[in-house]
């Protein structure tokens, strides 16, 4: 990995709208701060302002130090749900702090269902013949489902999310029989609803290389995917990643 790629991963580039969400201000206010130099920024060839996460974080810290009595409507610190947990009871990828900050800046968590993602989860069930498919986004507290087929629950706790293992890597992560896997045998999603036995997921990655979550398929019986099914799942995940990037670019 090049030095520039490492910098981008640890200190992602944000749009004006993403910076405004982190700062808890209107986009027009963030735009003024960018143009005035209060937030160091630059223009892309297309004329759009961009800013580093570190610059937004510094401004948050400065505002918090200067204005302890600010209005509750003004965000002076990131939402705790997007801050790393001390001694987390689940595996975390390198750069978890930057990943969570980028996810918060995306504004994707708790958004309304979208047809494009629902089509992708439906297609995932068709190409793999699995009864359950999910598009997940992982905060420090929970695994929230942007799209779901075959389950009613809208989210789970992060500590029981199979997808926490998936975002540690770039390729598919597969568990052929969770009941026989020491990492998952006692998981309440295995011992109770939806009674997971088989799981296969592919990370969904933003433009900065952060794995926001996964596209995954689940079955209630042990099994394995054929090569063409694994490839099809990876292709659907690539489309889902492109859709996420389109909303955060």
């Amino acid at each position: 990995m090049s030095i520039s790629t490492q910098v981008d991963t640890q200190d992602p580039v944000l749009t004006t709208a993403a910076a405004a969400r982190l700062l808890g201000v209107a986009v027009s206010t963030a735009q003024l701060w960018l143009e005035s130099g209060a937030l160091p920024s630059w223009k892309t060839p297309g004329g759009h302002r961009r800013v580093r996460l570190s610059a937004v974080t510094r401004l948050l810290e400065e505002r918090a130090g200067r204005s302890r009595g600010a209005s509750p409507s003004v965000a002076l610190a990131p939402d705790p749900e997007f801050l790393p947990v001390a001694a987390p009871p689940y595996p975390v990828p390198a750069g978890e702090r930057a990943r969570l900050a980028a996810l918060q800046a995306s504004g994707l968590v708790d958004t309304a269902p979208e047809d494009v993602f629902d089509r992708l989860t439906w297609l995932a069930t068709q190409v793999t013949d699995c009864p359950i498919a999910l598009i997940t986004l992982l905060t420090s507290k929970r695994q929230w489902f942007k799209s779901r087929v075959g389950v009613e629950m809208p989210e789970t706790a992060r500590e029981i999310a199979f997808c926490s293992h998936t975002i540690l890597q770039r390729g598919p992560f597969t568990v052929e029989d969770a009941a026989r896997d020491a990492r998952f045998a006692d998981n309440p999603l295995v011992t109770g609803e939806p009674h997971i036995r088989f799981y296969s997921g592919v990370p969904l990655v933003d433009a900065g290389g952060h794995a926001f979550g996964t596209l995954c398929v689940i079955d209630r019986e042990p099994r394995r995917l054929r090569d063409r099914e694994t490839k099809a799942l990876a292709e659907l995940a690539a489309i889902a990643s492109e859709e996420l990037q389109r909303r955060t670019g």
Side-chain angles (χ1 to χ4, degrees), residues 6-13 51-55 58 98 210:
Q6 289 175 330
V7 170
D8 286 348
T9 300
Q10 297 301 320
D11 191 10
V13 175
V51 60
R52 290 279 181 191
L53 172 63
S54 58
R58 282 195 297 272
H210 302 96

Side-chain angles (χ1 to χ4, degrees), residues 108 111-114 117-118 135-137 144-148 244:
L108 289 166
T111 53
E114 297 181 58
F117 295 114
D118 290 344
I135 287 178
T136 72
L137 298 175
W144 178 74
F145 304 148
K146 174 64 177 173
S147 178
R148 63 188 190 273
L244 293 179

Side-chain angles (χ1 to χ4, degrees), residues 118-129 133 149 236 239:
D118 290 344
R119 286 195 293 269
L120 290 172
T121 48
W122 179 81
L123 282 169
T125 65
Q126 300 304 298
V127 299
T128 63
D129 199 28
V149 173
L236 292 174
I239 296 171

Side-chain angles (χ1 to χ4, degrees), residues 9 12-14 17-18 21-22 53 78-79 81-83 95-111 135-144 146 158 167 204-214 244 247-248:
T9 300
V13 175
L14 305 179
R21 281 192 290 268
L22 283 176
L53 172 63
D79 184 330
E81 186 169 8
F82 297 95
L83 291 175
E96 174 73 345
R97 181 176 295 276
R99 186 194 74 82
L100 289 168
L103 178 59
Q104 182 185 15
S106 76
L108 289 166
V109 176
D110 292 328
T111 53
I135 287 178
T136 72
L137 298 175
L138 298 173
T139 74
S140 64
K141 307 290 187 184
R142 59 191 168 121
Q143 170 185 241
W144 178 74
K146 174 64 177 173
R158 173 77 185 270
I167 64 171
L204 303 182
V205 182
D206 77 341
H210 302 96
F212 280 179
T214 76
L244 293 179
R247 287 153 178 76
T248 58

